[in-house]
Amino acid sequence: MNATTNYQNTRILLSSRPEGEPTAANFQIETIDVPAPAEGEVLLRTIYLSLDPYMRGRMSAAKSYAAPVEIGDVMEGGTVSEVVESRHPDLMAGDFVLSHCGWQSYAVVPGGRHLRKLDPGSAPISTAVGVLGMPGFTAYAGLLAIGKPQQGETVAVAAATGPVGSMVGQLAKIKGANAIGIAGGPDKVAFLRRLGFDEALDHRSPGFLAQVKAATPDGIDVYFENVGGAVWDAVLPRLNTYARVPVCGLVAHYNDTQMPAGPDQLPKLMRNILTKSLTIRGFIQNEFINDYYKAFQKDVAGWIADGRIQYREDIVTGLENTPEAFAGLLTGKNFGKLLIEVAPDSTRR
Ligand SMILES: NC(=O)c1ccc[n+]([C@@H]2O[C@H](COP(=O)([O-])OP(=O)(O)OC[C@H]3O[C@@H](n4cnc5c(N)ncnc54)[C@H](OP(=O)(O)O)[C@@H]3O)[C@@H](O)[C@H]2O)c1
């Protein structure tokens, strides 16, 4: 039998696949002993768990770009962790690392390059899963590689107060484009204006369709697609000739159990693609890592330092609150990058 430590790991397992919105019944919380790390391994304590919309896809058995979480397995997820015990030469107790430990309070994992050491002195450790991590990179790579915004063009993005959308809009401004942000509710709209978006629109407002038209007198050159649904319907007629559409996410549809009813919209879409010479391209962020990751880290760290990029975090305390917070992420209850603070962040200034 493996030796155990005095630590107790609370972990959240996928217990069933959701039909529609995920609920607490899809998860099981349990507490088990934490094993002692073997040679080459480290024992990590989770400080922050990142909650991201892609996790809804992992809960489903449908074929996708990544394998689903199996029933009975720990839900997966990016984490910022503290090294509690190290039997790997590159790490020592007290170090902070970017890791992928999932929905649990402790994990024993092999050491090595997949654990990126973080410097709490150069940026808050939480940013490693937010503005300086996967979501920020997604926005940077998708917008620059596919959207290619030019000076004076118009860039539109929804889920605009989230970590992807807020980066897209601010980056568009840095590149000299106009930024139109779309979000749910007046508080989020007000926040977008403070961030410097040229226009901020509420997709829940009854006049939304007319507002999109009024806010885009010169049309839209880049629509960074995060949501789909009614926002896409409003944006499609405003796309200019040669518009680019990086398809990053479709969060309005992640809880769908069947295709929406109604007339087949495909011929209209294909006609738009043809007659306006549209470029519509889906992507998964990791395909751009080799070409864009270094530049992303350098550029965004500099822009945060000089105030051109701002970010907002929505921190929920306690691992036990993860299922509810995750369900809220898919319906807009979060306001900023959603994080679970699993154990207190001793580095926070
Ligand atoms: N392709 C990739 O590699 C990749 C990587 C990371 C993220 N993504 C995608 O990027 C998108 C944004 O991710 P994020 O982490 O920044 O999430 P986020 O914005 O923090 O959270 C999702 C937001 O979507 C909005 N939303 C939900 N239902 C909606 C609906 N029916 N209509 C319009 N908006 C709706 C809500 O904001 P409002 O309250 O403002 O509506 C919600 O807060 C997601 O689609 C995600 O899957 C893709």
Side-chain angles (χ1 to χ4, degrees):
M1 214 176 95
N2 284 342
T4 57
T5 60
N6 291 329
Y7 300 102
Q8 293 281 293
N9 181 23
T10 301
R11 58 186 200 169
I12 302 181
L13 314 176
L14 180 66
S15 60
S16 61
R17 301 203 183 279
E19 276 292 310
E21 273 192 39
T23 68
N26 299 124
F27 303 100
Q28 183 196 334
I29 303 192
E30 66 174 24
T31 300
I32 56 164
D33 290 340
V34 175
E39 192 57 37
E41 291 183 331
V42 288
L43 165 57
L44 300 178
R45 174 190 292 126
T46 309
I47 306 297
Y48 291 108
L49 165 65
S50 172
L51 290 185
D52 298 274
Y54 77 82
M55 293 167 171
R56 178 62 184 83
R58 301 292 196 277
M59 296 180 75
S60 156
K63 195 169 162 24
S64 186
Y65 62 92
V69 173
E70 295 301 334
I71 302 294
D73 281 357
V74 176
M75 278 293 296
E76 75 164 272
T79 43
V80 172
S81 309
E82 181 176 3
V83 177
V84 177
E85 216 178 300
S86 175
R87 297 192 64 191
H88 189 279
D90 294 349
L91 292 169
M92 54 192 273
D95 284 344
F96 292 93
V97 292
L98 173 63
S99 46
H100 202 84
C101 297
W103 297 20
Q104 57 185 343
S105 55
Y106 287 90
V108 173
V109 300
R113 282 180 45 198
H114 67 106
L115 297 176
R116 184 156 63 78
K117 205 163 144 176
L118 303 173
D119 173 9
S122 68
I125 56 174
S126 57
T127 59
V129 288
V131 66
L132 285 168
M134 184 279 282
F137 177 67
T138 300
Y140 181 96
L143 186 65
L144 299 188
I146 304 171
K148 299 187 171 71
Q150 306 297 307
Q151 183 89 24
E153 286 191 332
T154 296
V155 174
V157 64
T161 61
V164 176
S166 63
M167 174 70 83
V168 167
Q170 294 178 89
L171 196 47
K173 293 299 298 173
I174 289 170
K175 295 293 170 188
N178 299 314
I180 315 269
I182 297 163
D187 291 348
K188 290 186 177 182
V189 163
F191 175 71
L192 292 178
R193 293 193 196 284
R194 290 200 296 280
L195 278 189
F197 280 68
D198 298 281
E199 296 280 353
L201 310 175
D202 181 355
H203 68 85
R204 296 191 210 282
S205 134
F208 176 63
L209 201 65
Q211 287 169 21
V212 171
K213 194 170 175 196
T216 56
D218 299 324
I220 294 172
D221 302 292
V222 180
Y223 173 55
F224 192 100
E225 176 62 292
N226 275 337
V227 302
V231 178
W232 168 249
D233 292 340
V235 162
L236 177 62
R238 307 303 302 153
L239 294 180
N240 288 333
T241 301
Y242 300 124
R244 287 83 65 197
V245 182
V247 181
C248 173
L250 297 167
V251 67
H253 300 289
Y254 291 171
N255 286 330
D256 287 356
T257 50
Q258 55 190 21
M259 296 296 273
D264 180 1
Q265 301 284 338
L266 190 62
K268 182 172 95 180
L269 172 63
M270 296 303 266
R271 193 170 62 243
N272 270 271
I273 293 173
L274 174 64
T275 58
K276 294 184 188 173
S277 300
L278 302 179
T279 299
I280 301 185
R281 200 203 131 171
F283 72 100
I284 302 300
Q285 49 82 24
N286 54 15
E287 68 192 85
F288 293 117
I289 282 185
N290 288 346
D291 291 337
Y292 285 85
Y293 200 73
K294 267 207 178 107
F296 156 72
Q297 291 230 301
K298 183 169 169 290
D299 285 351
V300 176
W303 292 329
I304 291 173
D306 69 18
R308 284 202 283 175
I309 294 281
Q310 296 172 47
Y311 63 94
R312 180 182 172 115
E313 295 175 332
D314 184 343
I315 301 178
V316 174
T317 306
L319 185 69
E320 69 282 5
N321 295 316
T322 306
E324 189 185 341
F326 177 62
L329 174 68
L330 302 170
T331 53
K333 292 205 173 67
N334 66 307
F335 191 169
K337 168 64 204 158
L338 183 59
L339 297 161
I340 303 294
E341 191 171 2
V342 178
D345 174 1
S346 60
T347 69
R348 195 183 295 145
R349 284 161 280 179

